[in-house]
Amino acid sequence: MSKNKGILIVVSGPSGVGKGTVVDMLLKKLPRAVLSVSCTTRAPREGEQNGKSYFFISKQAFLKMIDEGGFLEYSNHFENYYGTPRFFVEEKLKDSDVILEIDVDGAENVKKLYPDALLLMITPPSKDELIRRLKMRGTEDETLIQHRLERADYELSKSKIYDYTVINDDLNQTVDNILKIVETRRKG
Ligand code: 5GP
């Protein structure tokens, strides 16, 4: 039995599915929840702030942090590294819910370390809708969009390891569904 009072909530899903918006709304509605800000070696997109969206660090700094055991988990895709800083999660979980917005490989590793973690996969209503959302975002060129769609197939193929799959059709409904799932878990 874990000594932690909080629930570790892992949110995954293909790029463009709307995870970021879902997580922002969850943070407003779950008073005890905090977001773990990941480190990444990718360049910031327009509007992304260091320390808020991610900690944007160099590859060298990332590799050093791996060596020092500073990550709870990390993975490498789209030619960049992404990792969850260990200390923040371990400390916050003692009395808060902690939300991780990470990919399927990361989620798999977190589940090994924290079998009680609540794994949520957010899926699009359809592949066409995912393509539409990715293009609407307008932050990436065609090659990268193609890359992200291929990755989406991989992510969706891993949905079996998740406790719940939630279809993000109507945003408010999606968030309500997740809140119910979290409350059910809290009651044990
Ligand atoms: P993006 O470049 O679109 O911000 O993120 C690409 C992917 O990396 C998304 O699936 C996102 O959930 C994942 N990701 C973000 N932070 C982390 C992390 O700390 N660890 C892992 N494993 N994946 C992450």
Side-chain angles (χ1 to χ4, degrees), residues 13 15 19 38 42 45 54 73-75 77-78 82-84 101-103 106 148 155:
S15 284
K19 291 179 301 247
S38 296
R42 85 150 161 76
R45 293 193 193 111
Y54 285 103
E73 63 72 36
Y74 67 91
S75 72
H77 57 93
F78 307 131
Y82 296 82
T84 305
E101 190 195 321
I102 61 176
D103 71 354
R148 286 181 186 275
E155 299 252 331

Side-chain angles (χ1 to χ4, degrees), residues 7 9 23-34 97-99 175 178-180 182-183 186:
I7 302 173
I9 304 168
V23 166
D24 284 347
M25 285 177 68
L26 284 176
L27 286 166
K28 290 195 184 110
K29 301 217 169 195
L30 286 170
R32 292 176 52 203
V34 293
D97 298 332
V98 178
I99 302 181
V175 172
I178 295 177
L179 290 172
K180 282 188 199 126
V182 173
E183 285 324 308
R186 206 183 301 286

Side-chain angles (χ1 to χ4, degrees), residues 2 17-18 22 24-25 32 42 78 83 95 97 104 118 165 176:
S2 121
V17 79
V22 169
D24 284 347
M25 285 177 68
R32 292 176 52 203
R42 85 150 161 76
F78 307 131
D95 51 18
D97 298 332
V104 290
L118 178 61
T165 296
D176 279 352

